[in-house]
Amino acid sequence: MLDVTVIEDADAAAVSLDPVRARLLAELAAGPASAAMLAGKVGLPRQKVNYHLKTLERHGLVELAGERRKGNVTERLMRATAASYVISPLALAAVQPDPDRFRDQLSARWLLALGARLVRDVGSLITGAAKARKRLATYALDGEVRFASAADRAAFVQELTAGVSALVRKYGAPDAEEGRDHRIVVALHPTVKDQPTPSTPVVEN
């Protein structure tokens, strides 16, 4: 099971957003289970759960983990293909954000467009690397800082911009024929306090 995978197909995204199927994905991320085992947890008949599982399987969101005999019946044990899923902007290709339409370093919406492009591009790279059975070279830095004042924040941004720009000038080699282009995204935004995740409601038949 992958830690996280990116959903790029629009139909698969729609399937994953269905409340019942999202609940089934959450249950199967915790461990393999059969339709009969899941039926009681989600409040649906086994036949309906089996229908949803087949739909999820058809879109690559769950997979067969094994089979077991229970009386005269062979149960299929299913598992989620990933512990969590991210929907790529490619699933809404016609209306996906395009940060190249405008550039405003102080715009929260431009930052959101950059984040969406990051999900799209890294998702596509992961898909390509998996098919080629190659490791994808990436790096990320995550942290928090508390500023004493807005002036300190502005000074931090100024120094950060100067520092990254200096590194780009130092190591950038636009004329290197064997080189490979890399994208750099640096973001700064107020910290969002963690909120408890609401449980998915049980759907009654």
Side-chain angles (χ1 to χ4, degrees):
M1 178 192 294
L2 299 173
D3 179 57
V4 61
T5 194
V6 180
I7 299 173
E8 298 177 331
D9 179 72
D11 291 335
V15 165
S16 70
L17 290 172
D18 176 88
V20 174
R21 293 166 186 161
R23 173 70 184 276
L24 291 173
L25 283 175
E27 295 289 346
L28 293 174
S34 67
M37 295 166 62
L38 292 167
K41 294 183 178 181
V42 299
L44 288 174
R46 179 184 59 80
Q47 293 86 347
K48 284 195 173 183
V49 172
N50 196 46
Y51 165 76
H52 288 303
L53 289 177
K54 287 182 178 179
T55 302
L56 290 167
E57 184 179 16
R58 190 165 60 250
H59 288 90
L61 301 175
V62 303
E63 61 187 4
L64 183 66
E67 295 179 338
R68 70 175 184 180
R69 292 284 298 177
K70 190 173 182 180
N72 296 326
V73 178
T74 299
E75 288 188 331
R76 303 177 79 231
L77 297 175
M78 307 301 294
R79 65 184 175 195
T81 55
S84 57
Y85 300 85
V86 175
I87 296 177
S88 169
L90 286 176
L92 292 171
V95 291
Q96 62 179 307
D98 181 6
D100 291 331
R101 290 196 192 111
F102 64 96
R103 297 182 64 87
D104 182 355
Q105 291 178 305
L106 301 180
S107 167
R109 297 189 185 279
W110 189 61
L111 175 57
L112 186 63
L114 287 175
R117 185 178 64 187
L118 181 65
V119 171
R120 182 198 68 192
D121 290 353
V122 175
S124 297
L125 289 168
I126 288 174
T127 300
K131 290 179 179 178
R133 296 185 179 181
K134 292 184 177 180
R135 182 177 175 83
L136 181 61
T138 62
Y139 168 79
L141 177 66
D142 179 41
E144 292 187 25
V145 57
R146 174 173 290 189
F147 297 110
S149 66
D152 283 352
R153 180 184 183 278
F156 177 88
V157 169
Q158 186 175 10
E159 289 187 39
L160 180 64
T161 302
V164 173
S165 297
L167 287 172
V168 170
R169 289 193 299 270
K170 180 178 179 179
Y171 292 101
D175 299 326
E177 294 183 1
E178 300 299 323
R180 182 173 182 181
D181 293 335
H182 285 67
R183 184 176 297 282
I184 302 168
V185 178
V186 179
L188 178 67
H189 62 80
T191 301
V192 178
K193 299 301 181 182
D194 291 336
Q195 298 292 332
T197 303
S199 58
T200 303
V202 175
V203 178
E204 301 292 344
N205 184 29

